[in-house]
Amino acid sequence: MVSSTTTLAIASLGSAVSTILLALSTPAWPLWAFLLLSAFAGIAVSGWNGVQIAEVARRSPSELIGETAAGAVILIFLSNMLTPVAFAAFIAVTNRYDLAFMVAGAFSLICVPLLYGIDRVAEKPSR
């Protein structure tokens, strides 16, 4: 219904909003609020990697689709391994979960301006 980059931007915004709301949460929040936030986070951020890999493949030269898609997957999995370590190290240094979630949310927001206008980049002619 929308372009892949718009889908990725929406997922990035959803991730940022849910992560920042986690940073603002307190033990005083009712259980239903945490459940609603968890559901929103799961819906907002699931499936983006499939869209991202498909977009990488679409923009790749046909003879390099396998290599570029594999490279994208490697970066995703590398991020999946290193981000929790960085998050834990940040908390160990600052002793602040709320700040760690705010920083994580900010990183999600960084993607939005990077995606803006990428669809207007001239496509290579087909061979």
Side-chain angles (χ1 to χ4, degrees):
M1 293 178 16
V2 296
S3 74
S4 58
T5 52
T6 300
T7 302
L8 291 170
I10 291 168
S12 182
L13 286 171
S15 176
V17 167
S18 60
T19 305
I20 290 168
L21 285 174
L22 279 170
L24 299 174
S25 67
T26 69
W29 279 29
L31 178 60
W32 66 263
F34 282 109
L35 294 174
L36 188 62
L37 178 55
S38 297
F40 171 72
I43 291 167
V45 304
S46 62
W48 67 266
N49 52 353
V51 175
Q52 185 250 353
I53 294 166
E55 186 63 12
V56 167
R58 185 182 75 77
R59 292 172 181 259
S60 299
S62 58
E63 66 275 6
L64 295 175
I65 289 174
E67 288 86 348
T68 56
V73 170
I74 288 170
L75 290 176
I76 290 168
F77 286 141
L78 185 61
S79 172
N80 289 345
M81 291 185 304
L82 297 179
T83 301
V85 174
F87 190 83
F90 188 90
I91 292 169
V93 169
T94 65
N95 203 30
R96 302 251 331 249
Y97 279 87
D98 60 339
L99 192 55
F101 278 107
M102 286 287 191
V103 171
F107 275 107
S108 291
L109 282 177
I110 289 172
C111 297
V112 176
L114 294 175
L115 289 167
Y116 179 75
I118 199 169
D119 286 336
R120 288 180 277 188
V121 174
E123 302 262 341
K124 294 179 185 174
S126 299
R127 293 178 198 175

